[in-house]
Amino acid sequence: MNTADRLVAAAAELLDSGGEVAVTLRAVAAATGVSHNAPYKHFPSRDDLLAAVAAADFDAMAAEWVRIRTSPSTPAERLANALDVLVKFGREHPARYGLLFNSPELAGREGPLRFAAEEALDQFAAIIEDQQNTGDLPAAPADHLAVLLAATAHGLINADAGGRLRRRTNWAGVGDGLQTLIKLLSNH
Amino acid sequence: MNTADRLVAAAAELLDSGGEVAVTLRAVAAATGVSHNAPYKHFPSRDDLLAAVAAADFDAMAAEWVRIRTSPSTPAERLANALDVLVKFGREHPARYGLLFNSPELAGREGPLRFAAEEALDQFAAIIEDQQNTGDLPAAPADHLAVLLAATAHGLINADAGGRLRRRTNWAGVGDGLQTLIKLLSNH
DNA sequence: ACCTGAACACCGTTCAAGT
DNA sequence: ACCTGAACACCGTTCAAGT
């Protein structure tokens, strides 16, 4: 594992343990065992290091979605599992989740992060398309449905993280809200 | 206008002009014409000042929704207008929008911000309920539909701000995505 | 009650060297 | 090619005074 990868891993751990504010370049460098400005030899700025963490997480998410998409479950189960990947990541890694979906400035950048995000969304959309083909979701373009479902998932995850979800609904969690929406969208 | 309100207004302007990073207590104080730590006499910390900006914005949003709710348009138009308030605020004040909906740590706090957010969502839910009563939306609990629609709106606004919306769809903007969802949810 | 000014510990980033 | 150490300008926050 080269220094750049170790810096990314250290940053991810700091995000998990202390949130975005904990990710100072000095702390990342110390956790990696290099001097306080060695990171600049691998990343132009702190934001670029964070973008690298986000890109790696999108890659991992895409890999999970590939696994789910080719798993032997039913299309409906695969869709539920795909959504659960998002929900679980948001719950277990809130700061890293924020990098992926709550940071428009980061998302708007060119580069590997944008590419990784598109790759991941491709897999997500494919899972949705499989479920559409069972006739159980509206026949809208798969990309439209994928964007809508991802958007709703994201909104519900944020609402729950801020404590706003359970104050207004009797849902046990984000999954219940998503299943409610899917039921409303289903053709029966 | 007292000092606390002027500090909040100055912080809001800095958010609009330079994003969250531009809101240093020193810049806020300078823009307000007080010394660099006078803000501490009105807010315990920078986060509390930001929370006050967010609470004020939720109050303004709630007021807009009250106006829309009691306007003479049709329920469907009122729903579209209510959603447009969100979309427009996200587009025109991205940093302040982020304080309202992209900052779970802030949203999770107790205090006036939480209260203001609930008041605003109450109005939004009422507008949805009016449209439900026309029979043109599913008969799910209004709070459920309100949370789902607000979540989708938020997700689409974020996707668009990050440039991810228009790369995957032919929608001209967030509004098109929302109308697509509403159509899919409608009973005809 | 409200404000000021100095000070502290910290941070991102730059620069000049080192191997 | 990769890293180190000093330095700079800045920031949130604290503290001791001032009126």
Side-chain angles (χ1 to χ4, degrees):
Chain A
M1 207 169 174
N2 61 24
T3 305
D5 290 340
R6 284 163 57 220
L7 288 167
V8 169
E13 270 187 48
L14 283 165
L15 281 162
D16 283 340
S17 59
E20 219 220 84
V21 291
V23 189
T24 68
L25 288 182
R26 282 164 161 87
V28 172
T32 311
V34 291
S35 78
H36 74 279
N37 79 31
Y40 283 99
K41 311 305 166 180
H42 304 272
F43 302 95
S45 73
R46 175 178 182 272
D47 276 356
D48 288 280
L49 172 59
L50 291 176
V53 175
D57 281 333
F58 265 127
D59 285 342
M61 204 170 274
E64 279 211 70
W65 279 334
V66 166
R67 191 183 51 70
I68 287 169
R69 187 187 167 192
T70 57
S71 73
S73 325
T74 67
E77 283 166 345
R78 299 205 295 267
L79 174 53
N81 289 340
L83 288 168
D84 200 47
V85 166
L86 265 180
V87 173
K88 202 168 162 192
F89 190 79
R91 184 169 4 96
E92 295 176 359
H93 309 281
R96 286 158 68 182
Y97 179 89
L99 248 37
L100 301 185
F101 299 108
N102 273 337
S103 309
E105 333 79 54
L106 215 60
R109 289 177 154 220
E110 302 286 344
L113 172 56
R114 169 173 297 190
F115 184 76
E118 292 299 324
E119 292 285 302
L121 268 172
D122 283 345
Q123 296 307 321
F124 183 75
I127 291 170
I128 290 199
E129 196 164 9
D130 289 343
Q131 168 67 351
Q132 276 187 298
N133 289 338
T134 70
D136 212 20
L137 277 180
D143 263 341
H144 288 204
L145 264 190
V147 166
L148 284 174
L149 270 180
T152 310
H154 169 56
L156 292 177
I157 288 167
N158 260 18
D160 197 26
R164 288 175 186 156
L165 186 70
R166 299 169 204 231
R167 271 202 302 281
R168 296 199 89 81
T169 70
N170 51 359
W171 294 331
V174 172
D176 284 358
L178 285 169
Q179 289 310 312
T180 300
L181 176 64
I182 288 174
K183 206 164 290 176
L184 291 176
L185 289 173
S186 302
N187 306 319
H188 48 72
Chain B
M1 207 170 175
N2 60 24
T3 304
D5 289 340
R6 283 164 56 221
L7 288 167
V8 169
E13 269 188 48
L14 284 165
L15 280 162
D16 283 340
S17 59
E20 218 221 85
V21 291
V23 188
T24 67
L25 288 182
R26 282 163 160 89
V28 172
T32 311
V34 291
S35 77
H36 74 280
N37 79 30
Y40 284 99
K41 311 304 165 182
H42 304 274
F43 302 95
S45 74
R46 177 178 181 271
D47 276 356
D48 288 281
L49 173 59
L50 291 176
V53 175
D57 281 333
F58 265 127
D59 285 342
M61 204 171 275
E64 278 210 72
W65 280 336
V66 166
R67 190 183 51 71
I68 286 169
R69 187 187 169 193
T70 56
S71 73
S73 325
T74 68
E77 285 166 343
R78 299 205 296 267
L79 174 53
N81 290 340
L83 288 168
D84 201 47
V85 166
L86 266 180
V87 173
K88 202 170 163 190
F89 190 78
R91 182 167 8 96
E92 295 176 358
H93 309 282
R96 284 158 70 182
Y97 179 88
L99 248 38
L100 301 185
F101 298 109
N102 273 337
S103 312
E105 334 79 53
L106 215 61
R109 290 177 153 218
E110 303 285 344
L113 172 56
R114 170 173 296 192
F115 184 76
E118 292 299 323
E119 292 284 302
L121 269 172
D122 282 347
Q123 296 307 321
F124 183 74
I127 291 171
I128 290 200
E129 196 165 10
D130 289 342
Q131 169 66 350
Q132 277 187 298
N133 289 338
T134 69
D136 212 20
L137 278 180
D143 264 341
H144 288 203
L145 265 190
V147 166
L148 284 174
L149 271 180
T152 309
H154 168 58
L156 291 177
I157 289 167
N158 261 18
D160 197 27
R164 288 176 187 156
L165 186 70
R166 300 171 205 229
R167 271 201 302 280
R168 297 199 87 81
T169 70
N170 52 359
W171 294 332
V174 173
D176 285 357
L178 285 168
Q179 289 311 313
T180 300
L181 176 65
I182 288 174
K183 206 164 290 175
L184 291 175
L185 289 173
S186 301
N187 305 319
H188 49 70

